[in-house]
Amino acid sequence: MGATGEQIGPARSRERFLVGEPIADGVRSPILNSWQRCQSLGLSPDQTDLPYRDDFDPDSRLVHAAQPVLDQLASRFAGSQMNVSLADGNGTVLQRRFGEPTLARSLPPIQSVPGFVFAERFAGTNGIGLALAERHLVQVYGAEHFAQRSQSNACSAIPIRDQLSGHIVGVLCFGYPHGYEHPALPVLVRRAAESIERRLMEQRSARERALLRAYLDAGHLAVNGAGPGEGPAIGLEELGDSGLDLHDQMILKEKATELISSTQRTAVEVFLPHGRGVTLMSSPVTSLSGVEGVVVEAVFTGEPPPAHHLSVATGAGPPHGAQHVATHETPPGPSEAHPPAPGAPAPGKVRGLVLVGEPEVGKYAVAARRRLELLAEASTRIGTTLDVTRTAWELAETAVPRLADYVTVDVPEAVLRGEESADPRSELYRAVVHGIREDCPFYPVGRVELRSGTPHMRCLDSGQAVLAPDLREAVGWIDQEPEHARGILDRGVHSLISVPLLARGVLLGIASFYRSEDPAPFGEDDSWLAQELAARAALCIDNARRYTREHTLALALQESLLPQGMPDQGAVEVAHRYLPAESGVGGDWFDVISLSGTRVALLVGDVVGHGLHAAATMGRLRTAARNFAELELAPDELLTHLDNLLVRLDREEGGDNDSGSTGIVGATCLYAVYDPTSRLCTMARAGHPPPALVHPDGRVTFPELPAGPPLGLGGLPFETAEIELPEGSTLVLYTDGLIEDRERDLDVALDQLSRTLARPDRSPEDTCQAVIDAVAPEHPADDIALLVARTRTVPADRIATWNVTADPSLVAGVRAAATRQLADWGLDELAFAAELMLSELVTNAVRYGTEPIQVRLVHDRSLICEVSDGSSTAPHLRRAASTEEGGRGLFLVAQLAHAWGTRYTTHGKVIWAECALDAA
């Protein structure tokens, strides 16, 4: 959390957000989401104008319900800089109260005058707007506010709901200097809002008021000083001070609604989670106008309740103001108490009102609230992963048992692969079967066939939900497979809702909801709820499908761009592994490239980023690296060329702002060249982890190589390091996905890698598998490329070398010595071709090169003839004219050799030619 001047909260993070920089942490997700919404709405942080409405109702039901609570809050915070606002469900401020009345004269109108609209779409991130958006208690501090004008303050705000419908009808917001923050403040805000909600319920309608008046006039709660007609002495919320928390109160209210559905006098014992027993008593009540209803009271044994105030437990004292806030009109004190009414509970027992209402209205209210609660829960439970099957399971788990007793989800097999189905009806796959019992009487997971006429097929054909209240009348469903249908009906399943999974105009499958335990059939409200759940799930499934498609394409592209086989070479024995990241394919790659003179190049690299773009960039870099390697460039020169290439690609792709390309961020690379004739390995790296070297005795080291900058920065040099490798040693190259993990320290990963590699007796293939099993993260967040190369050596008796002076007469002696060496190797059949090639190559070196001149024959998988000299000028193959006497030497070499070429060294060049051993 940063601070600047008077600003508090994440000021630095906010400034980074406003200029488009990424924010790693330090900002709460509701605040960051609100900032993003404000930015998408085009709001400006320095905005000062808010809409003003003069048509709001200053005498609305909400204002009347809140008036006493607001007055008592103002009294509580008298003399402080606390201010309390009441807004309606649209964010329009209806009432304001100030602890210090002079604040109303010193503050600007938008902070002191009712009528201004503080909805998020107008005012940016603020307490009122965020409470409406998040739909729960929120707190906003300093620079978390989007508008500059609010950043010296903090606020706590909570929605006010109509308890019957569950709709948000207003917001209660406390504004205060940041120094006034106190842990008890959220409790006070919540309980004050609950008091307003209770008062809204008390004035819900004339019928409800009449029922409540009839109840009060009957003297049911004429205890602790409250006489008939004076209002309830103890409500359920006040019982909370005697040990009932919000969860306990919710349990009692839910049970009370069941009792309200009956007009009979009933007493039910309810056991709360903490072991406390409460007796709920329901009694019919009739108003003077003839309205019939039910009242439910709670009675439990305990100490008499405290005064009817909201006590705020404090440590160093509450925020500025008094110790208590009244939640409703204070009843008469003990000295004014009326005698207990007949039937009142005995001393030592506490009795309070839970609910009063009409049976049918109560049922509707509870059902509506539960539907809303389920939808709210579905928004957080469905779509937690980008996996089609998991998302379907989350839909089923959310619906069972609160909406249905069994749920099946069928999707086309193409959707599971990330594709759109050409005919969803013909290739359905049952992805989920879930219910209240494990032995669900439905077809199991697997391919399913649905026939026309069934509710399921009608749903697929029409794209609309199909409600079958009585499955016994669903003839098409029964006729599809009568025996199976009878088995389902015999298990008590009697009602069905089939809902299509539609998202962005694409049919992704069907969700079927079945009821068995509740004897009442599904109704239209249930169908609406099922459609809402299915719509949310369908959007998440479509997102998962699209992700699966992109992931599959990227993986296919990545695998096609990686080596499909290893080249035929004898320098190293290699094995490799590639593991894509769980979250998406990246740009890791590896390669093994045969070079001249029995040498081999080993290469690993990692392109920053994931997805198709990273995979395509990897393919470009790998192709370029192979081409540069064919030019026999030194490792540092090769990395320089790759760096320049990446800079050009980044400039070309990122230079056009209208192209929509994200550009190329960069890459890392390690390039090594091993020569089995000298056991020298020359390496260079560009921001890449160093390799691991396993010595023949099992010792594992990490050679210290010059780090070098990552590719793509441009203009920075690379360095090489030359290491002599013991015969039989193993070189292990890898990308950072192998050793970097959020759950593990880097040193720990390297230590695990060292212990795993300290087994020189294992083959490269076994070593690869052991490293993946022991070191790779269980859930890799990045790609992993691993290359294990066990070195080999060309025996000294298979190498012949002659030093030659610049004398043309010595060419014949070289030919003779080469012929004898070939005879010793048993390669007499290659003598003619080798003599001719050496004659031409040595003659060129003597005539056009400089000393020192050296001739080398290597007997490996092929016969390699090399002539080196101190000149850096290479001959070129050309077609000689018929009138020319020379110019045909290299042409003859090219015809006789299997391959030939030139490579440059620090001391000159080497011209080489290879003859296949079976060429004779």
Side-chain angles (χ1 to χ4, degrees):
M1 304 282 283
T4 305
E6 293 297 324
Q7 292 180 334
I8 55 176
R12 296 175 184 171
S13 297
R14 179 179 173 277
E15 295 305 319
R16 289 198 299 269
F17 171 80
L18 292 175
V19 298
E21 295 181 3
I23 300 176
D25 50 24
V27 180
R28 294 180 290 136
S29 58
I31 300 298
L32 182 58
N33 293 338
S34 178
W35 288 355
Q36 293 170 343
R37 291 193 296 266
C38 295
Q39 194 175 62
S40 66
L41 291 170
L43 299 182
S44 172
D46 56 359
Q47 62 188 21
T48 56
D49 296 330
L50 290 180
Y52 177 80
R53 296 184 57 184
D54 56 5
D55 59 346
F56 67 92
D57 185 2
D59 297 318
S60 65
R61 293 177 55 248
L62 177 62
V63 172
H64 278 287
Q67 191 94 25
V69 178
L70 295 178
D71 290 342
Q72 293 171 28
L73 288 172
S75 175
R76 172 189 171 85
F77 297 112
S80 72
Q81 297 185 36
M82 182 76 72
N83 68 85
V84 182
S85 303
L86 176 72
D88 64 15
N90 297 317
T92 303
V93 174
L94 306 177
Q95 290 275 303
R96 288 188 180 273
R97 296 290 189 276
F98 298 93
E100 175 55 56
T102 58
L103 284 175
R105 296 190 297 270
S106 61
L107 293 174
I110 60 173
Q111 296 180 350
S112 59
V113 178
F116 287 95
V117 183
F118 281 82
E120 189 181 70
R121 65 181 182 274
F122 301 122
T125 307
N126 71 94
I128 294 175
L130 191 60
L132 290 172
E134 296 292 325
R135 306 179 68 84
H136 57 71
L137 176 66
V138 299
Q139 293 174 293
V140 185
Y141 304 100
E144 289 184 336
H145 289 88
F146 193 77
Q148 297 282 1
R149 61 169 178 272
S150 305
Q151 294 183 7
S152 60
N153 298 318
C155 60
S156 297
I158 187 171
I160 300 173
R161 286 181 166 84
D162 183 324
Q163 293 184 349
L164 182 62
S165 66
H167 295 159
I168 293 176
V169 296
V171 175
L172 181 65
C173 181
F174 285 28
Y176 46 89
H178 185 256
Y180 281 47
E181 177 64 24
H182 192 278
L185 190 58
V187 178
L188 178 62
V189 175
R190 190 184 300 277
R191 299 187 71 177
E194 290 170 356
S195 181
I196 297 174
E197 291 176 349
R198 183 172 62 253
R199 292 180 174 278
L200 282 171
M201 282 294 293
E202 291 173 0
Q203 57 177 358
R204 174 71 187 179
S205 66
R207 295 169 65 92
E208 293 168 340
R209 288 197 300 272
L211 286 173
L212 182 59
R213 179 57 55 190
Y215 163 72
L216 296 175
D217 289 342
H220 286 280
L221 280 183
V223 294
N224 291 340
E230 292 182 342
I234 300 177
L236 185 59
E237 285 74 9
E238 281 68 36
L239 291 178
D241 293 331
S242 294
L244 289 181
D245 59 21
L246 293 177
H247 183 57
D248 295 336
Q249 296 175 30
M250 182 59 67
I251 293 175
L252 294 180
K253 288 180 179 180
E254 290 182 356
K255 187 61 179 178
T257 56
E258 298 177 11
L259 300 179
I260 286 178
S261 64
S262 172
T263 59
Q264 301 299 318
R265 186 183 301 273
T266 308
V268 176
E269 187 75 12
V270 178
F271 294 96
L272 300 177
H274 303 295
R276 195 172 194 179
V278 178
T279 301
L280 292 183
M281 300 189 305
S282 67
S283 304
V285 61
T286 304
S287 71
L288 294 177
S289 61
V291 178
E292 295 182 351
V294 176
V295 61
V296 179
E297 299 169 287
V299 179
F300 63 92
T301 301
E303 295 298 326
H308 309 136
H309 297 80
L310 283 177
S311 297
V312 181
T314 63
H320 297 261
Q323 287 288 333
H324 306 289
V325 179
T327 59
H328 53 73
E329 296 87 342
T330 304
S335 62
E336 309 170 50
H338 296 271
K349 289 188 177 181
V350 179
R351 185 171 180 174
L353 173 66
V354 180
L355 286 178
V356 59
E358 299 174 84
E360 293 304 319
V361 176
K363 291 179 181 179
Y364 175 80
V366 172
R369 181 186 300 166
R370 288 177 177 173
R371 285 194 295 269
L372 292 171
E373 290 173 351
L374 183 57
L375 285 177
E377 182 180 331
S379 65
T380 60
R381 290 189 62 181
I382 300 176
T384 60
T385 66
L386 288 172
D387 180 82
V388 172
T389 302
R390 181 61 225 163
T391 302
W393 268 103
E394 290 167 348
L395 168 62
E397 291 168 347
T398 301
V400 175
R402 295 165 66 179
L403 172 62
D405 297 310
Y406 299 97
V407 173
T408 63
V409 180
D410 306 324
V411 296
E413 291 182 329
V415 172
L416 297 175
R417 299 191 300 267
E419 305 167 1
E420 291 186 15
S421 174
D423 185 6
R425 301 173 300 177
S426 63
E427 53 173 15
L428 282 176
Y429 182 89
R430 177 146 296 172
V432 172
V433 180
H434 181 57
I436 56 176
R437 291 190 295 267
E438 293 184 2
D439 55 336
C440 296
F442 301 97
Y443 292 122
V445 171
R447 289 289 298 271
V448 292
E449 294 184 7
L450 301 176
R451 299 178 185 176
S452 59
T454 63
H456 313 77
M457 190 56 70
R458 296 203 313 270
C459 172
L460 288 173
D461 290 338
S462 64
Q464 302 291 329
V466 174
L467 171 62
D470 190 349
L471 277 176
R472 290 171 298 182
E473 299 178 0
V475 180
W477 173 73
I478 296 176
D479 290 343
Q480 175 171 332
E481 191 170 337
E483 184 176 350
H484 179 69
R486 281 195 298 270
I488 294 176
L489 293 173
D490 290 343
R491 297 289 291 273
V493 179
H494 60 81
S495 195
L496 163 69
I497 304 173
S498 291
V499 184
L501 297 173
L502 282 168
R504 303 181 178 95
V506 178
L507 183 59
L508 303 170
I510 181 175
S512 300
F513 303 83
Y514 298 87
R515 175 172 287 178
S516 63
E517 298 298 308
D518 189 343
F522 282 128
E524 293 298 332
D525 289 340
D526 299 310
S527 178
W528 170 84
L529 179 57
Q531 292 176 63
E532 287 291 321
L533 293 176
R536 294 169 187 250
L539 188 60
C540 296
I541 288 175
D542 191 48
N543 291 337
R545 178 189 66 83
R546 291 166 178 253
Y547 168 79
T548 301
R549 178 183 60 187
E550 181 176 343
H551 180 77
T552 302
L553 289 174
L555 183 59
L557 176 61
Q558 175 86 345
E559 292 178 346
S560 69
L561 295 174
L562 289 173
Q564 303 303 305
M566 291 294 101
D568 184 20
Q569 49 81 34
V572 291
E573 179 186 357
V574 295
H576 56 83
R577 290 290 188 279
Y578 169 76
L579 271 69
E582 282 192 352
S583 59
V585 177
D588 290 16
W589 87 95
F590 63 90
D591 212 344
V592 178
I593 306 170
S594 295
L595 302 178
S596 64
T598 70
R599 297 172 307 132
V600 66
L602 306 175
L603 177 70
V604 290
D606 182 3
V607 175
V608 176
H610 293 84
L612 288 171
H613 187 263
T617 302
M618 177 276 291
R620 286 176 163 182
L621 285 180
R622 177 174 175 256
T623 300
R626 291 189 68 89
N627 291 335
F628 293 145
E630 292 291 338
L631 297 176
E632 302 280 2
L633 298 179
D636 57 336
E637 294 181 25
L638 183 140
L639 293 181
T640 299
H641 282 283
L642 289 180
D643 183 46
N644 294 334
L645 172 65
L646 204 55
V647 170
R648 289 195 302 272
L649 291 176
D650 198 16
R651 187 182 302 118
E652 293 171 1
E653 296 194 4
D656 183 6
N657 293 331
D658 298 330
S659 64
S661 173
T662 59
I664 301 170
V665 178
T668 65
C669 185
L670 171 63
Y671 184 73
V673 176
Y674 173 67
D675 188 345
T677 64
S678 62
R679 292 189 285 107
L680 292 179
C681 185
T682 307
M683 292 180 278
R685 63 187 180 116
H688 201 85
L693 177 60
V694 184
H695 295 259
D697 59 1
R699 185 167 49 93
V700 179
T701 60
F702 295 89
E704 295 184 2
L705 305 180
L711 301 176
L713 297 182
L716 298 176
F718 300 94
E719 299 180 59
T720 61
E722 192 172 72
I723 303 174
E724 183 175 348
L725 303 182
E727 184 175 353
S729 58
T730 301
L731 201 60
V732 180
L733 287 69
Y734 52 89
T735 55
D736 56 6
L738 178 68
I739 57 175
E740 291 185 0
D741 184 21
R742 295 178 181 177
E743 308 296 330
R744 179 181 58 184
D745 187 76
L746 180 61
D747 292 335
V748 173
L750 291 175
D751 184 60
Q752 290 177 336
L753 179 61
S754 296
R755 292 197 305 270
T756 305
L757 293 176
R759 289 279 305 276
D761 56 319
R762 279 194 297 229
S763 67
E765 186 66 31
D766 293 340
T767 300
C768 260
Q769 191 59 50
V771 168
I772 293 298
D773 293 341
V775 185
E778 184 176 356
H779 302 284
D782 194 7
D783 288 17
I784 297 175
L786 176 65
L787 186 63
V788 177
R790 174 172 294 172
T791 61
R792 295 168 176 165
T793 303
V794 177
D797 59 358
R798 290 204 166 206
I799 303 174
T801 305
W802 300 276
N803 294 321
V804 182
T805 58
D807 183 356
S809 63
L810 299 178
V811 175
V814 172
R815 289 200 305 266
T819 301
R820 290 193 297 271
Q821 184 62 63
L822 293 176
D824 292 340
W825 287 340
L827 301 178
D828 300 273
E829 65 275 10
L830 296 178
F832 173 77
E835 278 190 72
L836 189 54
M837 288 190 297
L838 284 176
S839 178
E840 295 297 334
L841 295 179
V842 174
T843 299
N844 277 337
V846 169
R847 288 183 177 179
Y848 308 111
T850 59
E851 294 185 345
I853 301 173
Q854 187 180 75
V855 177
R856 188 173 75 160
L857 292 180
V858 180
H859 179 198
D860 193 49
R861 298 192 175 202
S862 62
L863 176 64
I864 303 172
C865 305
E866 296 180 344
V867 176
S868 62
D869 66 77
S871 171
S872 59
T873 303
H876 297 283
L877 180 65
R878 67 183 182 87
R879 183 176 296 278
S882 58
T883 57
E884 293 182 279
E885 294 185 2
R888 297 176 177 81
L890 286 181
F891 179 78
L892 292 175
V893 171
Q895 298 301 309
L896 294 172
H898 173 69
W900 76 282
T902 304
R903 68 173 182 269
Y904 295 93
T905 66
T906 56
H907 306 293
K909 67 175 181 295
V910 176
I911 304 178
W912 56 271
E914 291 186 11
C915 285
L917 297 183
D918 57 354

